[in-house]
Amino acid sequence: MKLTNLLQSMISCQKWKVCFALASLAGIPLVANAQLVGELPSKSTESTLETPGDAVLKKEASLIEDVLSPELIFRIDPSRSKVLRTRLPISRVAITDPTTVEINEYGPNELEVIGMKSGETTMTLWFTNPDGTSTILRYLVQVAANEEAHQRAEVEYGKLQSRMNEMFPNSQIQLIPIADKLIIRGQARDSQEASQILAVIGGQSITQNGNINGGQLVNIGSVAQLPGAEDLATKQIINLLNVPGEHQVMLKVRIAELQRDAARSFGVDFSIDGGNWGLSHLLSGGSGNLSAILDSGDIDLFIKATSTNGSAKILAEPTLVTISGQPATFIAGGEFAVPTAVGVGGIGAVSTTFRGFGTQLSFTPTVLDKDLIRLQVAPSFSSINSDNSVEGIPGLDIRGVTTTVDLREGQWLAIAGLIQDEQEGGRTRLPFLGDLPIIGAVFGVESTKRIETELIVLVSPELVHPLEAEQVPLYLPGMSVTDPTNKEFFLHQQFEGVPGYDYRSTVWPINQHHLKHENREILRAQHQAKKSQRHYRKSESYYISGPQGFSE
C-alpha cells in the first residue's frame, strides 16, 4: 500500500486500534507521518487559531487561569538607577532583556534597577503573601535616551568647533554629534584647508599633495579622542564640507624633441693576385660603394666613402582632465608582447605580458588656493628601438620625467629639459703604412659620428567646466575627409574626396540604381507636364479670343 493511501485510510479510521494496526503493517511510525503532515502550512489552520472553537476555549479556561500583561510603566534614565523597597518580600525577579536593565537584589524587600541602554523591556516581580500565596506585578520598563551624554558631546565638540574656526578664519565649520557619528558641515576655503581640518579632527596626517594620508578629501574616518572626553561614543566622521570654485583640472603637456645626426666614413680595400704571390688588404670587410677590377681580375679595388646626415622631430601634446585630488592616466600608442619563462622543478611554462609604448601621461592635481594647483605629473614618450632587441623582443627609447610642481592657472613651466651631444670617432690602419701622410689613408679605415639631441617638457594646468550643448564643436578631426568618387580615384589618382561632398563607395552601386530610377521618374513627370501644358495652350485658342478675353 502506498503512503498516500495509507494516510487516507488512517484519517478515515474511527478507531485508533485500526489506525495503529495499519501503520504497523506498513512499517511507518504514526508520529513521523503526523509530523510530516503538520509541517505543511495551511490557511485553514491559521484561521482556526484566530477564531478558536468553543471546545478550545473551554480547554484554555480549564488550564490557564490568567494571562498577565505589563500593568505599569517604570521609567529610568541610562546609567542611572532606582531602588525599590517593597512591603512584601520578593521571591523572584525576571527581566526580558538583561542588556537594557540590570537588577541588583540587596534583600527580600529591597532591589536596585539600573538602566543600561535606551530601549524597552518587561520586569516581572513575584511577591510572597502572609498566607503563603504569591502575587505577580509586571512593569513595562522604559529606558530613556542618554540626553546627558548627547549634551556633553555637544558641549565638547562645541569647544572644538570654536577653536577650529579660530585656527582657520577663512573657513566656517560646524560640528554636529549624532549618535556615534560626527558630522562636519560648512565651507572650507580650499581643498588643502579642508584636508587640514579633517586631519585635525580625525587625527590623521597630510601628504605632500595636501590630501589626507590614506584617503581623499571626501573622507570617512575615525574621530580623534578629546582630552577629558575619551568616553564619548562618537567614533566616525562624515564629511559634508563644501569647497567653492572649480575642481576639474585640465592639464596640457607638450613634449618636443629634435635630434640631428651626422656620420662619415672612408676606407680602401684591395686584393692583388700575382700568380705565385698575392697581397690582400681587407679592413672594411671587402665591400665598398666604389669598386674596380683591373687586369682581368688580378687586382680588386674597393673604395668605401660615405657621408650621412639626418634629423628627427617629435612633438606630442597630450591633454587630460580630472577632478582635484583624483589621479588620471593617458596613453596613445601600442603594446607588444613580452614572453616570460616560469617553472619549478624542471616543469617550464611561458606567460605573456604586454608593455606599452607611445605617449603616456599620469598626473594628480590638487587645487590649493583658488587658482593655485599642485601637480604630481609623470609624462613620458617612448618608441620602439629594434637595435636594442633581445631574442626578438624590441627595446624602447624612453624620454620621461616624474615631478611635483605648483602652478597658477594658465601658467607654463618647463619641468624637464635635455641637451645631449654625443660624438665618436675611430680609425683602423696597417702599421707603418697607415701612418704615412696622404697615401696612408689607403691602408686604413676611419669613421666619425655625432648626435645632437634637444628635449623639453612643458606643462600647464587650467580649471575647466563641462561644455554646454551649444558649445560642442561641430567639426571633429577626420570629419572633413571624404571618399573619392570613381572619376576622382581612377582618372585623377586621388585617394581623398572633395570636402563637403558625401560620396560612399560602399553603397554607390545600390544608390546608383535608385538614382537612375528616380531620374527616369523625374524625366517622365517633366514630359507629362510639358505635354499637358501644350494641350492647355491649344485649348486657349478655342475659348479665349481678343485682348479682353472674350470667347468667340
Side-chain angles (χ1 to χ4, degrees):
M1 183 182 293
K2 296 183 180 180
L3 178 60
T4 307
N5 298 331
L6 177 60
L7 292 175
Q8 293 177 355
S9 300
M10 292 175 63
I11 294 172
S12 63
C13 287
Q14 297 180 357
K15 296 182 180 180
W16 287 99
K17 294 182 180 180
V18 179
C19 295
F20 281 110
L22 292 174
S24 61
L25 288 175
I28 302 174
L30 184 62
V31 178
N33 292 330
Q35 183 178 1
L36 290 173
V37 175
E39 290 178 354
L40 299 176
S42 176
K43 295 184 179 180
S44 61
T45 304
E46 296 178 359
S47 60
T48 304
L49 294 176
E50 293 291 338
T51 58
D54 296 337
V56 177
L57 295 176
K58 290 180 180 180
K59 182 179 179 181
E60 181 187 16
S62 62
L63 297 177
I64 304 299
E65 180 179 357
D66 194 8
V67 177
L68 302 179
S69 299
E71 304 168 280
L72 299 172
I73 296 178
F74 190 93
R75 293 184 176 89
I76 190 173
D77 296 330
S79 303
R80 299 292 179 87
S81 66
K82 290 184 178 181
V83 177
L84 295 181
R85 291 182 179 179
T86 62
R87 300 180 184 275
L88 298 177
I90 300 175
S91 60
R92 188 169 50 175
V93 180
I95 297 296
T96 306
D97 185 6
T99 61
T100 304
V101 175
E102 183 179 349
I103 301 296
N104 292 332
E105 298 185 38
Y106 300 113
N109 296 84
E110 191 175 55
L111 57 85
E112 182 183 15
V113 182
I114 304 173
M116 303 299 294
K117 66 176 184 179
S118 60
E120 291 184 348
T121 186
T122 56
M123 180 177 61
T124 307
L125 305 175
W126 282 266
F127 296 91
T128 304
N129 297 321
D131 56 357
T133 60
S134 62
T135 303
I136 300 176
L137 179 63
R138 303 200 69 198
Y139 283 102
L140 176 62
V141 182
Q142 296 180 348
V143 182
N146 195 350
E147 296 293 339
E148 181 181 356
H150 182 69
Q151 293 175 0
R152 183 162 170 264
E154 287 184 347
V155 172
E156 295 293 339
Y157 287 109
K159 297 178 182 177
L160 178 60
Q161 172 183 319
S162 301
R163 184 61 58 87
M164 296 295 295
N165 288 327
E166 291 177 2
M167 292 176 58
F168 303 97
N170 296 321
S171 300
Q172 188 67 31
I173 66 170
Q174 184 181 5
L175 304 180
I176 304 175
I178 298 178
D180 61 340
K181 298 177 178 60
L182 179 63
I183 300 176
I184 305 178
R185 294 180 55 192
Q187 179 172 302
R189 181 173 180 267
D190 48 50
S191 299
Q192 185 180 18
E193 196 156 301
S195 299
Q196 294 173 355
I197 293 173
L198 294 176
V200 172
I201 297 176
Q204 296 169 319
S205 59
I206 299 292
T207 63
Q208 64 174 356
N209 293 331
N211 297 332
I212 294 178
N213 192 12
Q216 304 299 332
L217 294 181
V218 181
N219 179 62
I220 299 178
S222 59
V223 182
Q225 292 184 351
L226 301 178
E230 292 83 359
D231 57 335
L232 292 179
T234 308
K235 298 179 180 179
Q236 286 186 330
I237 295 177
I238 298 180
N239 177 26
L240 298 181
L241 280 176
N242 180 31
V243 180
E246 294 288 345
H247 298 284
Q248 293 189 127
V249 182
M250 179 177 67
L251 182 66
K252 299 179 182 179
V253 178
R254 292 182 181 177
I255 303 174
E257 180 181 0
L258 180 61
Q259 181 176 341
R260 299 186 181 92
D261 61 87
R264 291 173 292 176
S265 62
F266 179 79
V268 177
D269 292 343
F270 59 86
S271 176
I272 301 175
D273 187 5
N276 296 329
W277 62 276
L279 178 63
S280 178
H281 173 266
L282 301 174
L283 293 181
S284 61
S287 62
N289 50 7
L290 180 62
S291 60
I293 302 176
L294 306 178
D295 195 10
S296 301
D298 293 338
I299 300 176
D300 296 336
L301 179 65
F302 302 94
I303 301 176
K304 182 179 181 180
T306 60
S307 177
T308 60
N309 291 83
S311 63
K313 173 185 176 182
I314 296 175
L315 179 62
E317 296 189 23
T319 301
L320 202 58
V321 179
T322 186
I323 299 176
S324 175
Q326 297 291 333
T329 58
F330 172 87
I331 180 172
E335 292 183 342
F336 60 89
V338 179
T340 304
V342 296
V344 178
I347 302 176
V350 177
S351 64
T352 303
T353 58
F354 289 86
R355 186 172 181 182
F357 64 92
T359 302
Q360 303 182 36
L361 173 62
S362 174
F363 85 108
T364 302
T366 302
V367 181
L368 301 180
D369 182 11
K370 294 181 181 179
D371 61 344
L372 180 61
I373 304 171
R374 176 165 295 172
L375 294 176
Q376 185 177 4
V377 58
S380 65
F381 182 85
S382 58
S383 58
I384 293 180
N385 186 357
S386 301
D387 296 335
N388 296 333
S389 61
V390 177
E391 296 182 357
I393 302 174
L396 292 178
D397 292 334
I398 301 177
R399 280 79 68 194
V401 62
T402 300
T403 185
T404 302
V405 294
D406 289 344
L407 286 174
R408 295 285 181 183
E409 181 185 7
Q411 290 182 336
W412 286 87
L413 186 64
I415 61 174
L418 172 66
I419 297 178
Q420 184 175 355
D421 192 352
E422 302 179 14
Q423 184 175 354
E424 61 180 84
R427 184 183 181 188
T428 304
R429 63 190 184 281
L430 293 176
F432 305 111
L433 296 177
D435 296 331
L436 296 175
I438 303 176
I439 64 172
V442 179
F443 301 96
V445 177
E446 57 185 358
S447 63
T448 180
K449 184 178 181 180
R450 183 168 184 172
I451 301 176
E452 299 176 353
T453 304
E454 299 180 20
L455 172 68
I456 188 170
V457 180
L458 304 173
V459 295
S460 175
E462 184 177 348
L463 298 175
V464 296
H465 58 83
L467 294 175
E468 300 296 336
E470 61 274 7
Q471 296 177 334
V472 178
L474 299 179
Y475 291 96
L476 299 178
M479 295 182 65
S480 60
V481 179
T482 60
D483 196 10
T485 62
N486 292 334
K487 178 180 178 181
E488 294 170 347
F489 179 75
F490 290 108
L491 297 181
H492 301 289
Q493 292 81 42
Q494 296 180 2
F495 52 85
E496 287 188 11
V498 179
Y501 181 74
D502 188 12
Y503 174 81
R504 296 173 60 190
S505 59
T506 55
V507 296
W508 170 244
I510 301 175
N511 291 343
Q512 186 179 17
H513 174 73
H514 291 310
L515 288 175
K516 288 182 179 179
H517 179 71
E518 291 177 359
N519 290 335
R520 286 196 298 267
E521 294 295 332
I522 292 173
L523 292 176
R524 185 180 295 109
Q526 292 178 353
H527 178 70
Q528 292 293 337
K530 291 181 179 179
K531 186 177 180 181
S532 61
Q533 187 177 10
R534 288 196 302 267
H535 285 290
Y536 175 75
R537 291 180 179 176
K538 186 176 181 181
S539 64
E540 284 183 347
S541 62
Y542 294 104
Y543 299 101
I544 300 177
S545 178
Q548 286 78 19
F550 294 102
S551 61
E552 294 179 353

